[in-house]
Amino acid sequence: MDKILIRGNNSLRGSVQIRGSKNAVLPLMAGALLTEETCTLHNVPCLHDVFTMDKILTQMGVEIEFTGRFMTIRTPSNIVPYAPYDLVRKMRASFFVLGPLLARFGKAKVSLPGGCAIGTRPVDIHLKGLEKLGAKIHLENGYVIAQGKLRGAEIYLDFPSVGATENLIMASTLAEGVTKIYNPAQEPEVVDLANFLNKIGAKIRGAGTEVITIEGVKQLGGCEHTVIPDRIEAGTFIIAGIATNGDVQVNSVIPEHLATFLTKLSEAGAEIEIGKNYIRAKSPNRILKSISITTLPYPGFPTDLQAQTMALLTCAEGTSIIKETIFENRFLHAAELCRMGADIKLEGNTAIIKGVECLKGAPVMASDLRASAALIIAGLMAKEGETIISRVYHLDRGYERIEERLASLGATIQRIRED
Ligand code: UD1
């Protein structure tokens, strides 16, 4: 298993090109199950999660070509609508195939994703919504077996789950009649999915608002679509720049997608310049101020930037508070940050971070994707010593060659390959 070695205390400077969004491209790939015609995606990031979704679709019989940043997907009518445990357990987003399979083929067998390090992560909201649309669902040996002809319905989500919203939008596109989803997730990735589906002939209105209306159609076609930029990757590079008293510009982004996050960074004293499709962030040569953050569904502060922000705040002046309301166990990075000298106390879903003068390098272990990014940031901040991060396979799920891109900004970072 690879490790990442970092020697900190270098200010990062320069600009970096942001890749296509992981969380947008995965449902788009699943969305291509809804049509027999070819869908071409541009700006596809080269990530392990994308390879996993590629494998899931390919083993069903979907034809995929992925070269450079282009991906073409064609789903013939004779595929096997089955997603096995071995692949689904690796990535929860695999569950996105359930809605489109059911909508187009009238049946699907998809493994339950199971829990993960950051929480139990049930799929009850997905299943309840699909049942509302008329699906007959039963669980058998760890698999969801669903069948039935879907009909439009009024669905209220108990929580604005991103995955459930996406699964239900996809399922409703081919359902007979009109579906309304109340209290849906409003994340930009949901909007990107709706835009893609509308391009292939779906009739979806209201994505990104409090009610989404989907008028079912009989058949969908093909299209070309460019994946939106990854706001979480952009946020991670911005934090890395600020955390090292640097000056980093992220290019090819949609700044509006990061509005709440950027407001919080300004509140902490960072200097943010926002252009049409770039963000430049600097930390003037002084210590940041402590801030309070609560993670919330979009447009609130994103849970996927919580760990990285915690790393940043370990050296802010005063006491910062982070409340995590999306996942029940998303503070695994806190103990690792403490091993590097941070002062963090956890009380339920709240982290109390007392700013310390500096962090010091240490061997640490990544527990999940965003925790890995937080440990990299902490390693870059460390005033002395080496940080060796193990279990970095989590990182490769959602960041493309991050060590090379950080090195190009001046970081002393390298991957140690181990078989
Ligand atoms: C997506 C993102 C993930 C992000 C999360 C929240 C993808 C591929 N992943 O994950 O990076 O951190 O949104 O912004 O887009 N829940 C239930 N029942 C359900 C569904 C969800 O209780 O049926 C709970 C989950 O356990 C969790 C919370 O709702 O505590 C949020 O989950 P959800 O919005 O569904 O996240 P994902 O779609 O899994």
Side-chain angles (χ1 to χ4, degrees), residues 21-27 49 91-96 116 118-128 158-166 185 187 189-190 231-232 296-298 301-305 324-330 369-370 397:
S21 159
K22 168 181 91 69
N23 287 356
V25 75
L26 298 174
D49 276 6
M91 181 183 75
R92 186 179 158 84
S94 320
F95 205 65
F96 293 155
C116 64
I118 61 176
T120 50
R121 299 181 87 174
V123 287
D124 54 319
I125 304 172
H126 299 240
L127 300 184
K128 207 169 134 190
D158 294 330
F159 180 85
S161 153
V162 175
T165 304
E166 293 170 337
E187 267 68 0
E189 294 77 18
V190 172
R231 62 194 167 103
I232 306 302
L296 286 169
Y298 191 85
F301 193 95
T303 176
D304 285 352
L305 284 171
E324 170 60 57
T325 73
I326 308 292
F327 292 107
E328 76 254 35
N329 193 25
R330 205 174 200 179
L369 169 57
R370 306 305 170 187
R397 289 188 48 199

Short mmCIF file of all heavy atoms in Angstrom, two decimals, residues 21-27 49 91-96 116 118-128 158-166 185 187 189-190 231-232 296-298 301-305 324-330 369-370 397, ligand 1:
data_model
loop_
_atom_site.label_atom_id
_atom_site.label_comp_id
_atom_site.label_asym_id
_atom_site.label_seq_id
_atom_site.Cartn_x
_atom_site.Cartn_y
_atom_site.Cartn_z
N SER A 21 -15.87 17.01 -11.45
CA SER A 21 -16.33 16.60 -10.11
C SER A 21 -16.58 15.10 -10.01
O SER A 21 -17.34 14.52 -10.80
CB SER A 21 -17.62 17.36 -9.80
OG SER A 21 -18.35 16.69 -8.81
N LYS A 22 -15.97 14.49 -9.01
CA LYS A 22 -16.21 13.06 -8.73
C LYS A 22 -17.69 12.82 -8.44
O LYS A 22 -18.30 11.92 -8.99
CB LYS A 22 -15.36 12.62 -7.52
CG LYS A 22 -15.76 11.26 -6.99
CD LYS A 22 -14.94 10.85 -5.80
CE LYS A 22 -15.50 11.24 -4.45
NZ LYS A 22 -16.74 10.51 -4.06
N ASN A 23 -18.25 13.64 -7.56
CA ASN A 23 -19.63 13.39 -7.15
C ASN A 23 -20.64 13.72 -8.24
O ASN A 23 -21.80 13.34 -8.14
CB ASN A 23 -19.95 14.18 -5.88
CG ASN A 23 -19.27 13.58 -4.67
OD1 ASN A 23 -18.63 12.54 -4.76
ND2 ASN A 23 -19.39 14.25 -3.53
N ALA A 24 -20.20 14.45 -9.28
CA ALA A 24 -21.11 14.70 -10.40
C ALA A 24 -20.99 13.56 -11.41
O ALA A 24 -22.00 13.07 -11.92
CB ALA A 24 -20.80 16.04 -11.06
N VAL A 25 -19.76 13.12 -11.69
CA VAL A 25 -19.59 12.17 -12.79
C VAL A 25 -20.18 10.79 -12.46
O VAL A 25 -20.71 10.10 -13.35
CB VAL A 25 -18.10 12.06 -13.22
CG1 VAL A 25 -17.26 11.27 -12.24
CG2 VAL A 25 -18.00 11.44 -14.60
N LEU A 26 -20.16 10.39 -11.20
CA LEU A 26 -20.65 9.03 -10.86
C LEU A 26 -22.14 8.87 -11.17
O LEU A 26 -22.53 7.92 -11.85
CB LEU A 26 -20.31 8.69 -9.40
CG LEU A 26 -18.80 8.65 -9.08
CD1 LEU A 26 -18.57 8.46 -7.58
CD2 LEU A 26 -18.10 7.55 -9.87
N PRO A 27 -23.00 9.80 -10.71
CA PRO A 27 -24.42 9.66 -11.12
C PRO A 27 -24.63 9.85 -12.61
O PRO A 27 -25.54 9.24 -13.19
CB PRO A 27 -25.15 10.73 -10.30
CG PRO A 27 -24.10 11.63 -9.76
CD PRO A 27 -22.83 10.84 -9.69
N ASP A 49 -12.72 5.89 -8.03
CA ASP A 49 -14.18 5.74 -7.96
C ASP A 49 -14.79 5.68 -9.37
O ASP A 49 -15.79 4.99 -9.59
CB ASP A 49 -14.81 6.88 -7.16
CG ASP A 49 -14.79 6.59 -5.65
OD1 ASP A 49 -14.18 5.57 -5.26
OD2 ASP A 49 -15.39 7.37 -4.88
N MET A 91 -17.69 1.13 -3.02
CA MET A 91 -18.09 2.52 -3.24
C MET A 91 -19.60 2.64 -3.13
O MET A 91 -20.35 2.04 -3.90
CB MET A 91 -17.63 2.92 -4.65
CG MET A 91 -17.96 4.33 -4.99
SD MET A 91 -17.47 4.71 -6.68
CE MET A 91 -18.73 3.87 -7.61
N ARG A 92 -20.03 3.45 -2.19
CA ARG A 92 -21.45 3.61 -1.94
C ARG A 92 -22.21 4.17 -3.15
O ARG A 92 -23.37 3.82 -3.39
CB ARG A 92 -21.59 4.55 -0.75
CG ARG A 92 -22.98 4.72 -0.26
CD ARG A 92 -22.99 5.64 0.92
NE ARG A 92 -24.30 6.22 1.08
CZ ARG A 92 -25.29 5.64 1.71
NH1 ARG A 92 -25.12 4.47 2.25
NH2 ARG A 92 -26.46 6.22 1.80
N ALA A 93 -21.51 5.00 -3.95
CA ALA A 93 -22.17 5.61 -5.11
C ALA A 93 -22.62 4.57 -6.13
O ALA A 93 -23.40 4.88 -7.04
CB ALA A 93 -21.24 6.64 -5.75
N SER A 94 -22.14 3.33 -6.00
CA SER A 94 -22.57 2.26 -6.91
C SER A 94 -24.08 2.09 -6.84
O SER A 94 -24.72 1.63 -7.78
CB SER A 94 -21.95 0.92 -6.53
OG SER A 94 -20.63 1.06 -6.15
N PHE A 95 -24.65 2.46 -5.70
CA PHE A 95 -26.08 2.27 -5.48
C PHE A 95 -26.92 3.15 -6.42
O PHE A 95 -28.11 2.94 -6.57
CB PHE A 95 -26.40 2.56 -4.00
CG PHE A 95 -27.63 1.87 -3.52
CD1 PHE A 95 -27.69 0.49 -3.44
CD2 PHE A 95 -28.76 2.59 -3.17
CE1 PHE A 95 -28.84 -0.16 -3.01
CE2 PHE A 95 -29.91 1.96 -2.74
CZ PHE A 95 -29.96 0.59 -2.67
N PHE A 96 -26.26 4.15 -7.06
CA PHE A 96 -26.96 5.01 -8.02
C PHE A 96 -27.52 4.24 -9.20
O PHE A 96 -28.36 4.75 -9.92
CB PHE A 96 -25.99 6.06 -8.62
CG PHE A 96 -25.50 7.08 -7.64
CD1 PHE A 96 -24.29 7.73 -7.86
CD2 PHE A 96 -26.23 7.43 -6.52
CE1 PHE A 96 -23.81 8.68 -6.98
CE2 PHE A 96 -25.76 8.39 -5.64
CZ PHE A 96 -24.56 9.01 -5.86
N CYS A 116 -19.63 2.50 6.28
CA CYS A 116 -18.26 2.88 5.97
C CYS A 116 -17.71 3.60 7.19
O CYS A 116 -18.43 3.79 8.17
CB CYS A 116 -18.20 3.76 4.73
SG CYS A 116 -19.01 5.31 4.94
N ILE A 118 -17.19 6.55 8.07
CA ILE A 118 -17.78 7.79 8.60
C ILE A 118 -19.23 7.62 9.07
O ILE A 118 -19.84 8.57 9.53
CB ILE A 118 -17.69 8.96 7.59
CG1 ILE A 118 -18.43 8.67 6.27
CG2 ILE A 118 -16.23 9.30 7.30
CD1 ILE A 118 -18.43 9.83 5.30
N GLY A 119 -19.78 6.42 8.98
CA GLY A 119 -21.13 6.23 9.50
C GLY A 119 -21.81 5.01 8.92
O GLY A 119 -21.27 4.35 8.02
N THR A 120 -23.00 4.70 9.44
CA THR A 120 -23.71 3.50 8.98
C THR A 120 -24.28 3.70 7.57
O THR A 120 -24.40 2.77 6.80
CB THR A 120 -24.85 3.13 9.93
OG1 THR A 120 -25.63 4.31 10.16
CG2 THR A 120 -24.34 2.60 11.24
N ARG A 121 -24.65 4.91 7.25
CA ARG A 121 -25.13 5.30 5.92
C ARG A 121 -26.17 4.35 5.33
O ARG A 121 -25.92 3.64 4.34
CB ARG A 121 -23.94 5.46 4.96
CG ARG A 121 -22.99 6.53 5.43
CD ARG A 121 -21.83 6.73 4.50
NE ARG A 121 -22.11 7.66 3.41
CZ ARG A 121 -21.20 8.07 2.54
NH1 ARG A 121 -19.98 7.64 2.61
NH2 ARG A 121 -21.52 8.92 1.59
N PRO A 122 -27.37 4.35 5.90
CA PRO A 122 -28.43 3.49 5.35
C PRO A 122 -28.93 3.99 3.98
O PRO A 122 -28.55 5.07 3.54
CB PRO A 122 -29.54 3.59 6.39
CG PRO A 122 -29.28 4.83 7.14
CD PRO A 122 -27.81 5.12 7.05
N VAL A 123 -29.79 3.19 3.33
CA VAL A 123 -30.34 3.60 2.04
C VAL A 123 -31.88 3.63 2.10
O VAL A 123 -32.55 3.53 1.09
CB VAL A 123 -29.88 2.67 0.88
CG1 VAL A 123 -28.43 2.91 0.53
CG2 VAL A 123 -30.12 1.21 1.22
N ASP A 124 -32.40 3.79 3.31
CA ASP A 124 -33.86 3.76 3.49
C ASP A 124 -34.59 4.83 2.68
O ASP A 124 -35.67 4.61 2.14
CB ASP A 124 -34.20 3.89 4.99
CG ASP A 124 -33.57 5.10 5.63
OD1 ASP A 124 -32.39 5.40 5.33
OD2 ASP A 124 -34.24 5.78 6.44
N ILE A 125 -33.97 6.02 2.55
CA ILE A 125 -34.65 7.11 1.83
C ILE A 125 -34.76 6.77 0.33
O ILE A 125 -35.77 7.03 -0.31
CB ILE A 125 -33.93 8.46 2.06
CG1 ILE A 125 -33.82 8.73 3.57
CG2 ILE A 125 -34.65 9.61 1.37
CD1 ILE A 125 -32.97 9.94 3.95
N HIS A 126 -33.70 6.14 -0.20
CA HIS A 126 -33.73 5.71 -1.62
C HIS A 126 -34.89 4.72 -1.80
O HIS A 126 -35.69 4.84 -2.73
CB HIS A 126 -32.45 4.94 -1.99
CG HIS A 126 -31.18 5.70 -1.86
ND1 HIS A 126 -30.34 5.92 -2.92
CD2 HIS A 126 -30.56 6.26 -0.79
CE1 HIS A 126 -29.27 6.58 -2.52
NE2 HIS A 126 -29.37 6.79 -1.22
N LEU A 127 -34.95 3.72 -0.90
CA LEU A 127 -35.91 2.62 -1.09
C LEU A 127 -37.34 3.08 -0.89
O LEU A 127 -38.25 2.72 -1.64
CB LEU A 127 -35.57 1.46 -0.14
CG LEU A 127 -34.17 0.85 -0.34
CD1 LEU A 127 -33.96 -0.35 0.57
CD2 LEU A 127 -33.93 0.45 -1.80
N LYS A 128 -37.54 3.93 0.13
CA LYS A 128 -38.89 4.45 0.39
C LYS A 128 -39.40 5.23 -0.83
O LYS A 128 -40.56 5.08 -1.25
CB LYS A 128 -38.81 5.38 1.61
CG LYS A 128 -40.09 5.50 2.40
CD LYS A 128 -39.81 6.21 3.71
CE LYS A 128 -40.84 7.28 3.99
NZ LYS A 128 -40.49 8.14 5.11
N ASP A 158 -37.33 12.61 3.96
CA ASP A 158 -37.17 12.95 5.38
C ASP A 158 -35.88 13.74 5.61
O ASP A 158 -35.77 14.51 6.56
CB ASP A 158 -37.12 11.67 6.23
CG ASP A 158 -38.46 10.95 6.18
OD1 ASP A 158 -39.48 11.64 6.02
OD2 ASP A 158 -38.48 9.70 6.27
N PHE A 159 -34.89 13.51 4.75
CA PHE A 159 -33.63 14.25 4.81
C PHE A 159 -33.22 14.50 3.35
O PHE A 159 -33.41 13.61 2.51
CB PHE A 159 -32.56 13.43 5.56
CG PHE A 159 -31.24 14.14 5.65
CD1 PHE A 159 -30.99 15.05 6.67
CD2 PHE A 159 -30.24 13.92 4.70
CE1 PHE A 159 -29.78 15.72 6.74
CE2 PHE A 159 -29.03 14.59 4.77
CZ PHE A 159 -28.80 15.50 5.80
N PRO A 160 -32.65 15.67 3.05
CA PRO A 160 -32.30 15.92 1.63
C PRO A 160 -31.05 15.15 1.20
O PRO A 160 -30.00 15.74 0.93
CB PRO A 160 -32.08 17.44 1.59
CG PRO A 160 -31.72 17.82 2.98
CD PRO A 160 -32.40 16.84 3.90
N SER A 161 -31.16 13.84 1.17
CA SER A 161 -30.03 12.98 0.80
C SER A 161 -29.66 13.21 -0.67
O SER A 161 -30.52 13.19 -1.55
CB SER A 161 -30.43 11.51 1.01
OG SER A 161 -29.71 10.67 0.14
N VAL A 162 -28.36 13.40 -0.90
CA VAL A 162 -27.87 13.65 -2.25
C VAL A 162 -28.12 12.41 -3.12
O VAL A 162 -28.73 12.48 -4.19
CB VAL A 162 -26.35 13.99 -2.22
CG1 VAL A 162 -25.80 14.14 -3.63
CG2 VAL A 162 -26.10 15.24 -1.40
N GLY A 163 -27.66 11.27 -2.64
CA GLY A 163 -27.79 10.04 -3.43
C GLY A 163 -29.24 9.67 -3.68
O GLY A 163 -29.60 9.29 -4.80
N ALA A 164 -30.09 9.79 -2.66
CA ALA A 164 -31.50 9.43 -2.84
C ALA A 164 -32.16 10.36 -3.85
O ALA A 164 -32.92 9.92 -4.73
CB ALA A 164 -32.24 9.47 -1.50
N THR A 165 -31.86 11.66 -3.76
CA THR A 165 -32.43 12.61 -4.73
C THR A 165 -32.03 12.19 -6.15
O THR A 165 -32.87 12.15 -7.06
CB THR A 165 -31.92 14.05 -4.43
OG1 THR A 165 -32.25 14.38 -3.09
CG2 THR A 165 -32.55 15.07 -5.38
N GLU A 166 -30.74 11.85 -6.32
CA GLU A 166 -30.27 11.51 -7.67
C GLU A 166 -30.89 10.21 -8.16
O GLU A 166 -31.34 10.12 -9.32
CB GLU A 166 -28.74 11.43 -7.65
CG GLU A 166 -28.15 12.82 -7.40
CD GLU A 166 -26.65 12.86 -7.12
OE1 GLU A 166 -26.09 11.83 -6.68
OE2 GLU A 166 -26.05 13.93 -7.32
N ALA A 185 -32.15 17.18 -2.17
CA ALA A 185 -30.83 17.80 -2.05
C ALA A 185 -30.72 18.87 -3.14
O ALA A 185 -31.25 18.69 -4.24
CB ALA A 185 -29.76 16.74 -2.24
N GLU A 187 -27.66 20.23 -4.03
CA GLU A 187 -26.25 20.30 -4.38
C GLU A 187 -26.05 20.56 -5.88
O GLU A 187 -26.86 20.09 -6.70
CB GLU A 187 -25.57 18.97 -4.00
CG GLU A 187 -24.94 18.90 -2.62
CD GLU A 187 -25.92 18.93 -1.45
OE1 GLU A 187 -27.15 19.00 -1.68
OE2 GLU A 187 -25.45 18.88 -0.31
N GLU A 189 -24.22 19.09 -7.86
CA GLU A 189 -24.09 17.82 -8.59
C GLU A 189 -25.47 17.29 -8.98
O GLU A 189 -25.62 16.61 -10.00
CB GLU A 189 -23.35 16.78 -7.72
CG GLU A 189 -21.88 17.14 -7.43
CD GLU A 189 -21.69 18.22 -6.36
OE1 GLU A 189 -22.63 18.47 -5.58
OE2 GLU A 189 -20.60 18.81 -6.31
N VAL A 190 -26.48 17.60 -8.17
CA VAL A 190 -27.87 17.22 -8.49
C VAL A 190 -28.32 18.03 -9.72
O VAL A 190 -28.95 17.50 -10.64
CB VAL A 190 -28.81 17.49 -7.29
CG1 VAL A 190 -30.26 17.29 -7.67
CG2 VAL A 190 -28.42 16.62 -6.10
N ARG A 231 -15.90 21.02 -6.77
CA ARG A 231 -15.82 22.11 -5.78
C ARG A 231 -15.04 21.66 -4.55
O ARG A 231 -14.40 22.47 -3.87
CB ARG A 231 -17.22 22.63 -5.41
CG ARG A 231 -18.12 21.60 -4.78
CD ARG A 231 -19.57 22.03 -4.75
NE ARG A 231 -20.41 20.89 -4.41
CZ ARG A 231 -20.96 20.67 -3.22
NH1 ARG A 231 -20.79 21.53 -2.24
NH2 ARG A 231 -21.69 19.60 -3.00
N ILE A 232 -15.07 20.38 -4.25
CA ILE A 232 -14.35 19.89 -3.06
C ILE A 232 -12.85 19.86 -3.32
O ILE A 232 -12.05 20.25 -2.46
CB ILE A 232 -14.87 18.50 -2.63
CG1 ILE A 232 -16.41 18.53 -2.45
CG2 ILE A 232 -14.17 18.02 -1.36
CD1 ILE A 232 -16.94 19.55 -1.44
N LEU A 296 -23.80 21.46 6.76
CA LEU A 296 -25.23 21.39 6.42
C LEU A 296 -25.38 20.99 4.96
O LEU A 296 -24.44 21.14 4.18
CB LEU A 296 -25.86 22.77 6.63
CG LEU A 296 -26.09 23.24 8.07
CD1 LEU A 296 -26.47 24.70 8.10
CD2 LEU A 296 -27.17 22.40 8.75
N PRO A 297 -26.58 20.54 4.58
CA PRO A 297 -26.82 20.31 3.15
C PRO A 297 -26.60 21.62 2.38
O PRO A 297 -26.76 22.71 2.95
CB PRO A 297 -28.29 19.89 3.09
CG PRO A 297 -28.61 19.37 4.46
CD PRO A 297 -27.76 20.17 5.40
N TYR A 298 -26.26 21.52 1.09
CA TYR A 298 -26.05 22.70 0.25
C TYR A 298 -27.28 23.60 0.29
O TYR A 298 -28.39 23.08 0.27
CB TYR A 298 -25.78 22.22 -1.19
CG TYR A 298 -25.31 23.31 -2.11
CD1 TYR A 298 -23.97 23.65 -2.19
CD2 TYR A 298 -26.22 24.01 -2.90
CE1 TYR A 298 -23.53 24.65 -3.03
CE2 TYR A 298 -25.79 25.02 -3.75
CZ TYR A 298 -24.44 25.33 -3.81
OH TYR A 298 -24.01 26.33 -4.65
N PHE A 301 -22.39 24.77 4.70
CA PHE A 301 -20.97 24.42 4.65
C PHE A 301 -20.84 22.91 4.34
O PHE A 301 -21.42 22.08 5.04
CB PHE A 301 -20.30 24.75 5.99
CG PHE A 301 -18.80 24.70 5.91
CD1 PHE A 301 -18.06 25.85 5.68
CD2 PHE A 301 -18.12 23.50 6.05
CE1 PHE A 301 -16.68 25.81 5.59
CE2 PHE A 301 -16.73 23.45 5.94
CZ PHE A 301 -16.01 24.60 5.72
N PRO A 302 -20.07 22.54 3.31
CA PRO A 302 -20.03 21.12 2.90
C PRO A 302 -19.29 20.22 3.88
O PRO A 302 -18.16 20.54 4.29
CB PRO A 302 -19.30 21.16 1.56
CG PRO A 302 -18.61 22.46 1.48
CD PRO A 302 -19.28 23.40 2.43
N THR A 303 -19.90 19.11 4.21
CA THR A 303 -19.24 18.13 5.09
C THR A 303 -17.94 17.63 4.46
O THR A 303 -17.00 17.28 5.16
CB THR A 303 -20.19 16.95 5.40
OG1 THR A 303 -19.48 15.98 6.18
CG2 THR A 303 -20.73 16.27 4.16
N ASP A 304 -17.89 17.61 3.13
CA ASP A 304 -16.69 17.10 2.45
C ASP A 304 -15.49 18.05 2.56
O ASP A 304 -14.39 17.71 2.12
CB ASP A 304 -17.00 16.81 0.98
CG ASP A 304 -17.82 15.53 0.81
OD1 ASP A 304 -18.00 14.80 1.80
OD2 ASP A 304 -18.28 15.26 -0.32
N LEU A 305 -15.70 19.25 3.13
CA LEU A 305 -14.55 20.14 3.39
C LEU A 305 -14.32 20.32 4.88
O LEU A 305 -13.48 21.12 5.30
CB LEU A 305 -14.76 21.50 2.71
CG LEU A 305 -14.54 21.50 1.19
CD1 LEU A 305 -14.98 22.82 0.56
CD2 LEU A 305 -13.07 21.23 0.84
N GLU A 324 -20.62 18.78 13.16
CA GLU A 324 -20.87 17.94 11.97
C GLU A 324 -22.29 17.39 12.05
O GLU A 324 -22.60 16.60 12.94
CB GLU A 324 -19.83 16.81 11.94
CG GLU A 324 -20.07 15.72 10.91
CD GLU A 324 -20.10 16.21 9.47
OE1 GLU A 324 -19.13 16.82 9.02
OE2 GLU A 324 -21.13 15.98 8.79
N THR A 325 -23.16 17.83 11.13
CA THR A 325 -24.56 17.39 11.24
C THR A 325 -24.95 16.39 10.15
O THR A 325 -26.06 15.88 10.14
CB THR A 325 -25.55 18.58 11.18
OG1 THR A 325 -25.60 19.05 9.83
CG2 THR A 325 -25.17 19.71 12.11
N ILE A 326 -24.04 16.11 9.20
CA ILE A 326 -24.43 15.22 8.09
C ILE A 326 -24.09 13.76 8.39
O ILE A 326 -24.90 12.87 8.16
CB ILE A 326 -23.76 15.66 6.76
CG1 ILE A 326 -24.01 17.15 6.50
CG2 ILE A 326 -24.21 14.80 5.59
CD1 ILE A 326 -25.44 17.52 6.19
N PHE A 327 -22.89 13.52 8.88
CA PHE A 327 -22.47 12.15 9.19
C PHE A 327 -22.20 12.00 10.68
O PHE A 327 -21.66 12.91 11.31
CB PHE A 327 -21.22 11.76 8.39
CG PHE A 327 -21.50 11.65 6.92
CD1 PHE A 327 -21.05 12.61 6.04
CD2 PHE A 327 -22.25 10.59 6.42
CE1 PHE A 327 -21.33 12.52 4.68
CE2 PHE A 327 -22.53 10.49 5.06
CZ PHE A 327 -22.07 11.46 4.20
N GLU A 328 -22.52 10.82 11.23
CA GLU A 328 -22.43 10.67 12.69
C GLU A 328 -21.01 10.41 13.19
O GLU A 328 -20.74 10.54 14.36
CB GLU A 328 -23.40 9.58 13.17
CG GLU A 328 -22.97 8.16 12.91
CD GLU A 328 -23.76 7.51 11.78
OE1 GLU A 328 -24.11 8.20 10.81
OE2 GLU A 328 -24.00 6.30 11.85
N ASN A 329 -20.12 10.03 12.29
CA ASN A 329 -18.79 9.63 12.77
C ASN A 329 -17.69 10.20 11.88
O ASN A 329 -16.80 9.48 11.44
CB ASN A 329 -18.72 8.09 12.79
CG ASN A 329 -17.53 7.58 13.55
OD1 ASN A 329 -17.01 8.27 14.43
ND2 ASN A 329 -17.07 6.40 13.20
N ARG A 330 -17.79 11.51 11.63
CA ARG A 330 -16.84 12.04 10.65
C ARG A 330 -15.73 12.87 11.30
O ARG A 330 -15.32 13.90 10.77
CB ARG A 330 -17.56 12.86 9.59
CG ARG A 330 -16.75 12.88 8.33
CD ARG A 330 -17.42 13.52 7.17
NE ARG A 330 -16.74 13.07 5.94
CZ ARG A 330 -17.09 13.41 4.73
NH1 ARG A 330 -18.11 14.20 4.53
NH2 ARG A 330 -16.42 12.97 3.70
N LEU A 369 -11.57 9.31 2.57
CA LEU A 369 -11.08 10.19 1.51
C LEU A 369 -10.72 11.60 2.00
O LEU A 369 -9.61 12.09 1.80
CB LEU A 369 -12.16 10.24 0.43
CG LEU A 369 -12.04 11.27 -0.68
CD1 LEU A 369 -10.73 11.13 -1.42
CD2 LEU A 369 -13.21 11.12 -1.65
N ARG A 370 -11.68 12.28 2.62
CA ARG A 370 -11.42 13.69 2.98
C ARG A 370 -10.49 13.79 4.19
O ARG A 370 -9.76 14.78 4.33
CB ARG A 370 -12.73 14.43 3.22
CG ARG A 370 -13.72 14.33 2.06
CD ARG A 370 -13.15 14.80 0.73
NE ARG A 370 -14.05 14.48 -0.38
CZ ARG A 370 -13.77 14.65 -1.65
NH1 ARG A 370 -12.60 15.13 -2.04
NH2 ARG A 370 -14.64 14.33 -2.60
N ARG A 397 -9.20 7.61 -4.49
CA ARG A 397 -10.62 7.48 -4.86
C ARG A 397 -11.14 8.82 -5.38
O ARG A 397 -12.02 8.85 -6.23
CB ARG A 397 -11.46 7.07 -3.65
CG ARG A 397 -11.23 5.65 -3.20
CD ARG A 397 -12.22 5.30 -2.14
NE ARG A 397 -13.56 5.69 -2.57
CZ ARG A 397 -14.60 5.85 -1.76
NH1 ARG A 397 -14.47 5.61 -0.47
NH2 ARG A 397 -15.77 6.21 -2.22
C1 UD1 B 1 -23.00 12.34 -1.13
C2 UD1 B 1 -21.58 12.53 -1.56
C3 UD1 B 1 -20.65 12.63 -0.38
C4 UD1 B 1 -21.14 13.72 0.57
C5 UD1 B 1 -22.61 13.52 0.92
C6 UD1 B 1 -23.18 14.67 1.74
C7 UD1 B 1 -21.55 11.37 -3.69
C8 UD1 B 1 -21.02 10.25 -4.49
N1 UD1 B 1 -21.19 11.41 -2.42
O1 UD1 B 1 -23.04 11.09 -0.44
O2 UD1 B 1 -19.34 12.94 -0.84
O3 UD1 B 1 -20.37 13.68 1.76
O4 UD1 B 1 -23.39 13.41 -0.28
O5 UD1 B 1 -23.00 15.86 1.08
O6 UD1 B 1 -22.24 12.24 -4.20
N2 UD1 B 1 -28.96 8.85 4.80
C9 UD1 B 1 -29.93 8.05 5.38
N3 UD1 B 1 -30.71 7.28 4.56
C10 UD1 B 1 -30.57 7.28 3.21
C11 UD1 B 1 -29.60 8.13 2.62
C12 UD1 B 1 -28.81 8.90 3.45
O7 UD1 B 1 -30.07 8.02 6.61
O8 UD1 B 1 -31.32 6.56 2.53
C13 UD1 B 1 -28.09 9.67 5.68
C14 UD1 B 1 -26.62 9.23 5.56
O9 UD1 B 1 -26.35 8.14 6.42
C15 UD1 B 1 -25.90 10.48 5.96
C16 UD1 B 1 -26.81 11.59 5.43
O10 UD1 B 1 -28.08 11.00 5.22
O11 UD1 B 1 -25.79 10.58 7.35
C17 UD1 B 1 -26.32 12.22 4.14
O12 UD1 B 1 -26.20 11.25 3.16
P1 UD1 B 1 -26.39 11.53 1.60
O13 UD1 B 1 -26.74 12.96 1.35
O14 UD1 B 1 -27.26 10.48 1.04
O15 UD1 B 1 -24.91 11.29 1.10
P2 UD1 B 1 -24.44 10.41 -0.11
O16 UD1 B 1 -25.35 10.60 -1.28
O17 UD1 B 1 -24.14 9.04 0.35
#
